[in-house]
Amino acid sequence: MCRSIKTLYNFEPPATEQEVRAAALQFVRKLSGFSVPSKANEEAFERAVDEVTATATRLIESMVTTAEPKDRAIEAERAKARSAARFGSTVPH
């Protein structure tokens, strides 16, 4: 699950609220061990996602760096190349 949590800091364009929430959701899923909570735990689960999202947003907004922002397209290509090297091509022949 956590492999799908991506670095969100120092990108151009900046991470969206949806991206931060998706990372928070994956984090809460990992901690709880459930991808979908039971009805009894649904409120606690959603509250945790909201709180992690807010905390992550504050963290990202408060951090400073002198490094140039990373380009999303370039980083996506690098990730694709790493995946292809690790798992091989998934393109059917």
Side-chain angles (χ1 to χ4, degrees):
M1 276 188 253
C2 283
R3 285 185 210 145
S4 62
I5 298 176
K6 307 296 183 212
T7 301
L8 299 176
Y9 176 63
N10 198 30
F11 276 96
E12 191 58 48
T16 65
E17 183 178 329
Q18 292 81 13
E19 289 172 310
V20 176
R21 184 164 182 83
L25 175 61
Q26 289 300 318
F27 181 73
V28 172
R29 284 176 171 171
K30 184 66 172 184
L31 289 177
S32 69
F34 299 104
S35 57
V36 178
S38 65
K39 284 288 185 188
N41 292 318
E42 191 171 32
E43 184 179 327
F45 191 91
E46 286 302 316
R47 184 174 52 250
V49 173
D50 292 342
E51 290 173 359
V52 172
T53 300
T55 301
T57 299
R58 281 193 305 276
L59 172 66
I60 291 168
E61 289 174 350
S62 67
M63 293 175 67
V64 295
T65 184
T66 57
E68 290 292 317
K70 295 174 263 187
D71 182 281
R72 287 181 180 276
I74 291 171
E75 293 301 318
E77 285 300 317
R78 288 180 182 162
K80 193 180 291 185
R82 284 190 304 271
S83 179
R86 182 173 180 187
F87 301 111
S89 178
T90 59
V91 178
H93 296 284

